[in-house]
Amino acid sequence: GDDAAGASSEQRPPDDDGTGTGTTATGGSQSPARLRALCRALLLHSQSLYHEHSTRMRRTADKQKLAASKRGNEKHATTMGSHARTREGARTTTPSPRILQSCVGLGCKFILERKVRAVLADLAAWLETDMACSRDDDRIVVEWLPLALFDSHSRFALMFRGTCIDVGIDGDVLRVTQMSEQGGYRAVSFGSELELELFLKLEFRRALLLSENND
């Protein structure tokens, strides 16, 4: 597993220096270079969505032509009229590619994920400096799920001592699920990385207190 300052490169859009190392992530500020990279990524994503939608439409039209030709020896005019109505029906019933919605969701995920990565790095420093956690088992262990760059979701598991938390990023929403050693289950949603940071600090404090009591 990676620590809080590191994560899988598959999900990470390029940073300001183009390395994708995440070293320039500070809060939620976005530099002009970062915004340009994000815009290029979203433009490529929209082009891919349009191409996939056009390909599906062409395949549907080809299947309809083949089905019409197999229906038998009908009059030419009747066949052409039926074919035109079929194509018109396909145009009205085919789902929209939802390009705008997909790009907005993907852009929100890119920005929020970068903020979350910065929060994880800050939490690691907070544990070491403010909470005096210097033992090897006091490190935050973060394991990111290696999803595709243009996936609209991100997910990672976070472990600290006896605490294990699963975090999912869906657009601009953070969803946290947690299982306790006693079999308890909890799920909560957050609207910002700051809310997640406060939640994790409370959980880490609880884990440290529980560990001290057990000792």
Side-chain angles (χ1 to χ4, degrees):
D2 302 320
D3 59 20
S8 59
S9 61
E10 290 85 356
Q11 289 196 27
R12 190 177 304 148
D15 279 307
D16 302 348
D17 57 2
T19 61
T21 59
T23 55
T24 58
T26 55
S29 61
Q30 302 294 319
S31 70
R34 177 77 183 187
L35 290 175
R36 284 194 296 271
L38 177 60
C39 289
R40 287 196 295 268
L42 294 179
L43 177 60
L44 178 60
H45 182 55
S46 65
Q47 292 172 338
S48 299
L49 289 175
Y50 179 77
H51 174 72
E52 292 173 1
H53 178 69
S54 299
T55 301
R56 286 195 300 268
M57 290 290 291
R58 285 195 299 270
R59 289 176 179 172
T60 300
D62 292 341
K63 290 179 180 179
Q64 291 169 348
K65 290 179 182 179
L66 182 61
S69 65
K70 290 181 177 180
R71 277 196 290 266
N73 298 323
E74 299 180 1
K75 292 183 179 180
H76 179 71
T78 303
T79 303
M80 292 300 293
S82 175
H83 178 61
R85 287 192 297 272
T86 301
R87 288 181 60 85
E88 181 64 25
R91 282 194 293 269
T92 57
T93 59
T94 300
S96 167
R98 300 177 64 86
I99 293 176
L100 178 60
Q101 295 91 329
S102 179
C103 287
V104 170
L106 184 63
C108 289
K109 186 213 75 168
F110 278 159
I111 294 174
L112 183 55
E113 181 185 326
R114 184 170 185 252
K115 294 178 180 180
V116 168
R117 290 179 184 272
V119 163
L120 295 176
D122 291 342
L123 285 172
W126 171 77
L127 284 172
E128 184 174 355
T129 58
D130 293 20
M131 305 304 293
C133 295
S134 58
R135 300 187 311 183
D136 291 339
D137 59 349
D138 287 336
R139 296 175 59 220
I140 303 174
V141 179
V142 180
E143 188 73 28
W144 287 85
L145 189 65
L147 301 175
L149 176 64
F150 289 143
D151 196 304
S152 60
H153 302 80
S154 290
R155 184 174 295 276
F156 66 90
L158 181 150
M159 290 164 285
F160 176 72
R161 293 199 174 184
T163 301
C164 182
I165 299 173
D166 183 78
V167 181
I169 304 175
D170 183 5
D172 58 352
V173 177
L174 290 160
R175 292 186 173 86
V176 177
T177 57
Q178 184 178 12
M179 293 286 293
S180 67
E181 294 180 354
Q182 293 74 26
Y185 174 81
R186 178 169 59 170
V188 63
S189 295
F190 299 117
S192 73
E193 79 286 356
L194 298 179
E195 295 177 358
L196 176 67
E197 181 177 9
L198 292 175
F199 170 79
L200 291 178
K201 282 185 176 181
L202 288 174
E203 291 301 313
F204 293 165
R205 288 180 187 272
R206 184 179 291 111
L208 289 171
L209 182 60
L210 181 61
S211 178
E212 291 175 0
N213 292 337
N214 291 336
D215 293 341

